[in-house]
């Protein structure tokens, strides 16, 4: 928006400069037409004609009779057409098109972010899929943003003296506009899966130790059995 405003201001300045030059130069005054209009009796009327018709039409100077156009009038016509009707209008159109393109890209980014990331904890879909979890289920059951909205409405209608410790903590954060109570980058389902994944190697170690102990115990039982058989045979 700032670029469009700045370009429009620059265009108005250039149009005013052309109008002022056409008014003060006797060779230009009342010798050109803009959209069928031919009025440059005063500086104000000259500016009005240039602004009203010059931005949408290229101006042409009309010489008296069949006399060819002079060099300065042809040059003025050429400059006005190139600078105003081509360059400045093209710049404004380009800025408007780029602005709408940026807005569309920003909107697409927001939609993609809403579809691939949890609004509450800001964890993306890939991390959930690593643990075999569904982002859609997590958003619906664990971190439903509307439940947070309803909880805030509930706290607003609740007396401070009736609040629990957790409700008081959340309410204090809401009053001070703090987001400390939000579970940023935290989700119980992921923490549970991570704990299971983290404890899995320890589980294998414990199973291996138990197998070794069972093997040792089995060997000791075999030795005791051999010893008893030896004494049984001697007796």
């Amino acid at each position: 928006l700032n670029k469009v405003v700045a370009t429009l201001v620059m265009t108005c300045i250039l149009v005013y400069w052309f109008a002022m030059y056409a008014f003060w130069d006797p060779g230009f005054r009342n010798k050109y037409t803009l959209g069928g209009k031919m009025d440059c009796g005063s500086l104000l009327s000259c500016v009005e004609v240039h602004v009203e018709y010059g931005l949408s039409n290229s101006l042409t100077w009309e010489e008296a009779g069949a006399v060819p156009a002079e060099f300065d009038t042809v040059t003025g016509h050429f400059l006005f057409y190139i600078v105003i009707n081509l360059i400045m209008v093209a710049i404004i159109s380009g800025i408007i098109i780029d602005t709408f393109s940026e807005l569309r890209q920003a909107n697409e980014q927001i939609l993609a972010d809403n579809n691939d990331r949890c609004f509450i904890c800001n964890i993306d879909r890939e991390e959930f899929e690593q643990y075999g979890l569904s982002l859609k289920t997590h958003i619906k059951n664990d971190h439903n943003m509307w439940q947070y909205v309803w909880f805030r409405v509930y706290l607003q209608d609740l007396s401070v003296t009736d609040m629990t410790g957790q409700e008081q903590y959340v309410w204090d954060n809401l009053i001070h506009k703090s987001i400390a109570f939000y579970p940023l980058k935290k989700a119980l389902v992921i923490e549970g899966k991570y704990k299971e994944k983290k404890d899995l190697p320890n589980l294998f170690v414990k199973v291996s130790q138990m197998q070794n102990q069972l093997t040792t115990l089995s060997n000791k039982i075999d030795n005791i059995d051999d010893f008893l058989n030896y004494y049984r045979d001697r007796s």
Side-chain angles (χ1 to χ4, degrees), residues 35-52:
K37 298 288 290 186
M38 188 173 181
D39 184 13
C40 205
S42 63
L43 180 59
L44 179 60
S45 61
C46 197
V47 171
E48 290 177 353
V49 171
H50 279 75
V51 172
E52 185 177 358

Side-chain angles (χ1 to χ4, degrees), residues 144-162:
N144 191 320
M145 64 178 179
W146 293 112
Q147 292 179 353
Y148 282 79
V149 175
W150 297 332
F151 183 62
R152 177 167 184 169
V153 174
Y154 164 76
L155 292 179
Q156 289 176 345
D157 295 335
L158 187 65
S159 175
V160 177
T161 56
D162 296 333

Side-chain angles (χ1 to χ4, degrees), residues 1 14 16 22-23 55 67 69 78 100 139-141 146 156-157 164 168 193 206 212 221 233:
L1 182 60
L14 292 174
Y16 177 80
F23 174 74
L55 296 178
V67 180
F78 178 78
F100 278 105
I139 293 176
K140 181 179 179 180
N141 299 329
W146 293 112
Q156 289 176 345
D157 295 335
T164 63
Q168 182 66 47
K193 290 290 184 178
K206 291 181 179 179
N212 294 332
I221 293 175
D233 294 339

Side-chain angles (χ1 to χ4, degrees), residues 104-114:
R104 184 176 65 254
Q105 292 177 359
N107 186 54
E108 292 176 353
Q109 181 64 32
I110 293 174
L111 292 177
D113 191 69
N114 289 336

Side-chain angles (χ1 to χ4, degrees), residues 9 15 23 32 45 60 165 178 184 211 225:
V9 171
V15 171
F23 174 74
Y32 58 89
S45 61
T60 56
S178 174
L184 298 179
Q211 288 179 345
D225 187 60

Side-chain angles (χ1 to χ4, degrees), residues 166-233:
Q166 294 178 339
E167 292 172 346
Q168 182 66 47
Y169 170 75
V170 174
W171 180 246
D172 291 339
N173 280 273
L174 291 174
I175 292 176
H176 295 91
K177 298 181 179 180
S178 174
I179 60 173
F181 68 95
Y182 283 101
L184 298 179
K185 294 299 181 182
K186 295 179 181 179
L188 290 177
V189 289
I190 289 183
E191 291 179 357
K193 290 290 184 178
Y194 176 76
K195 185 177 180 181
E196 292 177 2
K197 186 176 180 180
K198 185 178 179 180
D199 292 340
L200 193 59
N202 296 330
L203 181 61
F204 283 124
V205 172
K206 291 181 179 179
V207 170
S208 179
Q209 291 175 350
M210 291 179 63
Q211 288 179 345
N212 294 332
Q213 292 175 356
L214 289 174
T215 301
T216 303
L217 182 61
S218 177
N219 293 332
K220 290 181 179 180
I221 293 175
D222 291 339
N223 293 333
I224 293 174
D225 187 60
D226 292 339
F227 181 77
L228 293 175
N229 291 331
Y230 173 76
Y231 279 97
R232 187 181 301 112
D233 294 339

Side-chain angles (χ1 to χ4, degrees), residues 55-107:
L55 296 178
S56 59
N57 301 279
S58 59
L59 73 168
T60 56
W61 280 267
E62 293 182 351
E63 297 292 334
V67 180
E70 298 179 358
F71 177 76
D72 56 350
T73 58
V74 174
T75 304
H77 175 212
F78 178 78
L79 289 176
F80 189 93
Y81 179 76
I82 294 296
V83 175
I84 303 299
N85 297 110
L86 290 184
I87 296 178
M88 300 307 297
V89 174
I91 291 175
I92 295 174
S93 301
I95 292 175
I96 294 175
I97 294 174
D98 291 341
T99 301
F100 278 105
S101 177
E102 293 175 357
L103 292 175
R104 184 176 65 254
Q105 292 177 359
N107 186 54

